[in-house]
Amino acid sequence: MQAALRLVRHRAPVARAVRRLATTANPSTVAPTAPLTASKVAPIPLSNVEAQWAKLSAEEKLSVQEQLEEIQKKDWTTLSLDEKKAAYYVAFGPHGPRTPISQPGDAIKIFFWTMTLVAVGGGLFATARAFAPPPPKTISKEWEEATNARALELKLNPITGISSEGYSGKGFVTQK
């Protein structure tokens, strides 16, 4: 009995491994997927890649990138100017995440809509001012001068304020 238990214990890791292999996908039942390779696509001329890039399919773009990888493994002094330009454009050109956000003519639209919204805001301000009640009677030059006279009578702020000796400020007058 002891020997049988030892055999079962030693077989347990093998049984788990077999079970794991049985649950993984069988390669014969999985549909074959062909990776994108440059062998199916004819070589694309590297001159003027900038103009062609937007029109190329994903396979053609991959083909150009693979061509450039092979070319860049050579000595850079032997590369032609078109090959250098193509390598730079594919690496740093305005495509993919570096596509410009704004298009030509967007600045005019932004300026126009900004001025329109400023004009609408100004119109709303003028309308609010037109329908607003008149300012209170305490905001007038006469009222402020009367407040100065009353402050002198009551001797307000006798150390540094309006009632102090030699005071030359305006006091409570803020209106022009």
Side-chain angles (χ1 to χ4, degrees):
M1 178 97 166
Q2 294 290 339
L5 284 176
R6 276 188 233 136
L7 286 175
V8 171
R9 286 183 190 153
H10 290 299
R11 286 186 177 176
V14 174
R16 285 188 204 124
V18 170
R19 191 176 318 132
R20 282 188 203 131
L21 289 174
T23 59
T24 59
N26 187 355
S28 63
T29 61
V30 176
T33 58
L36 294 176
T37 59
S39 61
K40 295 180 181 179
V41 180
I44 297 169
L46 296 178
S47 60
N48 203 10
V49 169
E50 299 89 3
Q52 301 172 10
W53 190 258
K55 298 173 189 169
L56 296 177
S57 67
E59 287 182 3
E60 292 171 330
K61 288 179 182 179
L62 181 64
S63 170
V64 169
Q65 288 175 347
E66 288 176 356
Q67 273 181 289
L68 289 170
E69 282 179 21
E70 290 301 317
I71 289 172
Q72 291 175 24
K73 289 178 183 176
K74 299 177 190 174
D75 184 17
W76 275 72
T77 57
T78 61
L79 295 181
S80 70
L81 185 61
D82 286 337
E83 291 169 339
K84 289 178 185 177
K85 283 182 181 179
Y88 182 83
Y89 181 80
V90 169
F92 303 109
H95 53 82
R98 287 183 227 69
T99 304
I101 294 173
S102 61
Q103 301 298 322
D106 282 354
I108 295 170
K109 291 177 189 175
I110 291 169
F111 178 77
F112 170 75
W113 285 108
T114 302
M115 290 299 116
T116 302
L117 291 174
V118 167
V120 167
L124 288 173
F125 177 75
T127 303
R129 289 287 297 229
F131 290 109
K137 62 182 179 177
T138 58
I139 302 180
S140 66
K141 188 166 185 167
E142 295 82 23
W143 189 278
E144 291 170 349
E145 288 172 351
T147 304
N148 276 348
R150 180 78 173 142
L152 287 171
E153 288 174 17
L154 296 175
K155 297 183 182 170
L156 292 179
N157 200 357
I159 297 173
T160 59
I162 195 166
S163 298
S164 64
E165 290 182 23
Y167 180 76
S168 61
K170 294 191 229 175
F172 291 103
V173 178
T174 57
Q175 296 293 323
K176 295 181 182 178

